[in-house]
Amino acid sequence: MPYCTSCGAEYKQGAKFCGECGASTEGDSSAPIRRPSAGAAPGSGSGPEIELWQGKPAGISDRLKGIIRLNTTTYTITSQRIMVKTGLIGKDVEEIELLRVNDFSVDQSIMQRILGIGILTVYSDDASSPQLILRRIRHPQTVKDVLRKAVRDEKIANNISYREQI
């Protein structure tokens, strides 16, 4: 597909105007290198941010809080970051960019395995929160796999690779 010479957005073959910036596509003989779209984060090669998973703590006490709408913690994994929002009146938002994530672990006690919940710990080189803990989430292994794929995709999109020196 061709790209607009003004904004770099992709447009359909035969279109007379760019759908992003409205520039004329007539007379475009060569396609420039595509630049990140307006929805992309600065320096991000992965495009617009997409929500991959969202959940709340799912322990017994959290389910009771949910009935009376007091379960105010929300976990969100997007294609670019992990967010933990907490607070009933005041909101506290903790974020980690996926590019900074180094490792993750899943912990489940016997009771948590029976309930289908667990703890997902995210280890990063973020200065403000080197460990981000997602407590009492449902299907923690599945969430870890979603996060692992998102981290790999984001690092590949930004040409980041790591080498260990032995």
Side-chain angles (χ1 to χ4, degrees):
M1 294 192 96
Y3 298 97
C4 175
T5 55
S6 297
C7 69
E10 192 172 352
Y11 62 87
K12 291 185 180 179
Q13 188 72 31
K16 295 186 182 200
F17 298 97
C18 173
E20 289 292 317
C21 68
S24 174
T25 60
E26 299 295 318
D28 285 350
S29 58
S30 64
I33 298 172
R34 182 173 183 186
R35 290 177 271 162
S37 64
S44 172
S46 63
E49 190 170 23
I50 300 166
E51 186 176 296
L52 304 173
W53 178 85
Q54 186 174 28
K56 290 183 167 281
I60 295 171
S61 63
D62 298 304
R63 292 178 186 171
L64 294 173
K65 287 180 191 175
I67 292 171
I68 55 176
R69 300 193 189 276
L70 289 178
N71 190 353
T72 59
T73 301
T74 304
Y75 304 126
T76 306
I77 298 173
T78 70
S79 58
Q80 296 175 2
R81 58 191 168 158
I82 306 165
M83 295 179 286
V84 178
K85 296 178 185 176
T86 57
L88 182 62
I89 296 173
K91 290 288 183 183
D92 181 33
V93 180
E94 185 69 39
E95 296 181 5
I96 292 181
E97 295 290 326
L98 293 182
L99 296 174
R100 296 190 165 277
V101 173
N102 295 329
D103 200 9
F104 358 86
S105 69
V106 174
D107 296 318
Q108 284 183 301
S109 66
I110 294 172
M111 184 56 92
Q112 288 175 330
R113 288 189 68 181
I114 291 170
L115 294 173
I117 61 175
I119 299 170
L120 175 62
T121 305
V122 180
Y123 301 97
S124 71
D125 52 359
D126 186 63
S128 64
S129 56
Q131 285 187 4
L132 185 65
I133 300 172
L134 284 64
R135 299 180 194 282
R136 298 181 302 272
I137 58 172
R138 289 185 183 169
H139 312 291
Q141 192 65 39
T142 305
V143 175
K144 184 196 79 126
D145 292 339
V146 167
L147 180 59
R148 180 179 176 271
K149 183 179 183 326
V151 168
R152 289 175 55 92
D153 291 347
E154 184 70 1
K155 287 183 179 183
I156 289 170
N158 286 285
N159 296 323
I160 295 175
S161 62
Y162 294 99
R163 295 184 186 152
E164 292 185 19
Q165 295 181 357
I166 299 176

